[in-house]
């Protein structure tokens, strides 16, 4: 998919109009951003917006996030356990102390 982010009111208006007019090429509208299909038409819409608003439109290509392929089981389990914790007021850093779950400092250093 193509992520299009706008940084001005005029660019947001153009994005909104493009999304309304070409809804079949829009995967999702996100306020000042939108996801377009990864097709030539999606690229055309994105590039047209950037051509019209060169300093106010950013285009990025995205790829789907597959948690089972991209994230280690230990991180998925930590997220499940933390969400199911009995005390909702405990921060993750405290929750992870003396447990099998990774600490936040370690997770921040490791890339997926």
């Amino acid at each position: 998919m193509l992520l299009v982010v706008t940084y001005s009111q005029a660019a947001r208006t153009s994005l909104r109009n493009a999304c309304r007019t070409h809804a079949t090429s829009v995967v999702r509208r996100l306020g000042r951003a939108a996801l377009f299909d990864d097709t030539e038409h999606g690229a055309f819409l994105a590039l047209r917006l950037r051509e019209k608003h060169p300093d106010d439109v950013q285009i990025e290509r995205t790829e789907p996030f597959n948690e089972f392929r991209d994230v280690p089981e230990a991180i998925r389990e930590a997220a499940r356990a933390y969400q199911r914790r009995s005390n909702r007021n405990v921060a993750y850093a405290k929750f992870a102390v003396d447990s099998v779950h990774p600490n936040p400092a370690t997770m921040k250093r490791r890339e997926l």
Side-chain angles (χ1 to χ4, degrees):
M1 290 180 283
L2 300 173
L3 174 65
V4 178
V5 182
T6 59
Y7 297 103
S8 71
Q9 183 61 45
R12 284 192 290 279
T13 299
S14 295
L15 177 64
R16 182 177 54 247
N17 291 341
C19 289
R20 286 180 181 163
T21 305
H22 304 285
T24 57
S25 291
V26 178
V27 175
R28 182 123 193 223
R29 176 94 165 84
L30 308 158
R32 65 176 51 219
L35 287 169
F36 289 149
D37 277 333
D38 196 16
T39 62
E40 289 180 354
H41 189 252
F44 169 79
L45 293 172
L47 292 172
R48 195 179 99 199
L49 286 166
R50 190 170 64 194
E51 189 67 29
K52 185 175 183 179
H53 308 280
D55 298 327
D56 298 324
V57 173
Q58 177 182 350
I59 303 168
E60 299 290 335
R61 190 174 211 166
T62 66
E63 67 179 66
F65 177 69
N66 181 336
E67 66 182 273
F68 301 103
R69 181 191 69 207
D70 301 334
V71 181
E73 174 60 29
I75 304 302
R76 294 195 312 271
E77 178 54 37
R80 277 191 296 274
Y82 182 64
Q83 192 56 37
R84 294 176 183 153
R85 70 194 181 281
S86 58
N87 184 347
R88 302 308 248 172
N89 298 319
V90 174
Y92 181 78
K94 186 174 181 181
F95 173 81
V97 171
D98 296 328
S99 76
V100 297
H101 305 298
N103 67 55
T106 301
M107 290 192 291
K108 288 176 185 177
R109 286 191 307 271
R110 291 184 183 157
E111 291 188 19
L112 290 180

